[in-house]
Amino acid sequence: MAVTIQKSAKIRHANRTLRLNIALSPLMTIRHKNKTLATFLSFPLGSLGAHRFYLYGKNDAVAWLHFASLPLSYFLSKLYFNLNPFITYLPFMISLLVAVVMALILGLMSDEKWDAKVNPTSGEQSDSSWLLALILVLDVGAGAIILIGLMARAFDLLYTGGAYG
């Protein structure tokens, strides 16, 4: 369902203020954003910012920070090749953990709150299904594995100097 948006613009010229009501063309409509798709994108591809690009478009600075974490980590691993990969790939791992938490935040948000925040003018109502619950269960499992692995490796480096791997 396409919804046209009425915008109000003020123009100041020569000490006069003109108020114009501008109707955006049907080509510039707001599309309904799917909560299940956003949660799914955040789970496997969130460390590259896919969920942020889907929700907020290509002008989102946080999405570009997520996207830049992988090349930055790769660059650090090549620049400081004698450092442990745990240290050089830390920006990507942090981005991955943030994406896992973001998948939980997006998925556990109620449909009404989701529509009010993301789809205020789409005219459609979100209706989450069992697929969202499955994605959230997988996200919690993967997040726990990643977090426990990161903590185990950090303690190994801290207390043994990396003697176990």
Side-chain angles (χ1 to χ4, degrees):
M1 176 179 191
V3 177
T4 57
I5 299 172
Q6 196 77 2
K7 281 206 160 190
S8 177
K10 286 184 179 179
I11 300 174
R12 289 192 67 108
H13 178 66
N15 294 331
R16 288 192 220 169
T17 301
L18 301 174
R19 182 180 282 285
L20 300 174
N21 287 325
I22 303 167
L24 298 177
S25 70
L27 296 176
M28 297 184 66
T29 58
I30 306 287
R31 295 191 60 189
H32 185 78
K33 302 285 196 306
N34 189 339
K35 183 169 87 165
T36 305
L37 179 60
T39 304
F40 177 73
L41 287 174
S42 181
F43 172 51
L45 300 172
S47 57
L48 297 176
H51 64 292
R52 302 277 312 186
F53 286 122
Y54 173 68
L55 291 175
Y56 305 111
K58 62 182 177 183
N59 294 330
D60 185 36
V62 176
W64 286 109
L65 283 175
H66 276 293
F67 189 75
S69 67
L70 183 61
L72 175 67
S73 296
Y74 179 76
F75 176 71
L76 288 174
S77 71
K78 295 303 175 191
L79 186 64
Y80 302 106
F81 57 88
N82 58 350
L83 277 180
N84 192 302
F86 180 79
I87 304 297
T88 57
Y89 283 98
L90 197 59
F92 181 70
M93 288 186 259
I94 290 172
S95 177
L96 183 64
L97 284 175
V98 167
V100 167
V101 170
M102 196 64 202
L104 289 173
I105 291 171
L106 292 176
L108 293 175
M109 188 182 300
S110 68
D111 288 340
E112 294 80 23
K113 189 174 178 183
W114 172 265
D115 286 334
K117 182 178 179 184
V118 179
N119 299 316
T121 58
S122 74
E124 294 181 37
Q125 296 250 333
S126 294
D127 186 27
S128 301
S129 64
W130 61 268
L131 183 60
L132 180 64
L134 179 65
I135 292 170
L136 288 172
V137 167
L138 292 173
D139 181 57
V140 167
I145 290 170
I146 292 167
L147 187 60
I148 290 170
L150 285 174
M151 288 172 42
R153 185 62 181 154
F155 286 130
D156 175 41
L157 288 173
L158 182 64
Y159 293 116
T160 67
Y164 295 108

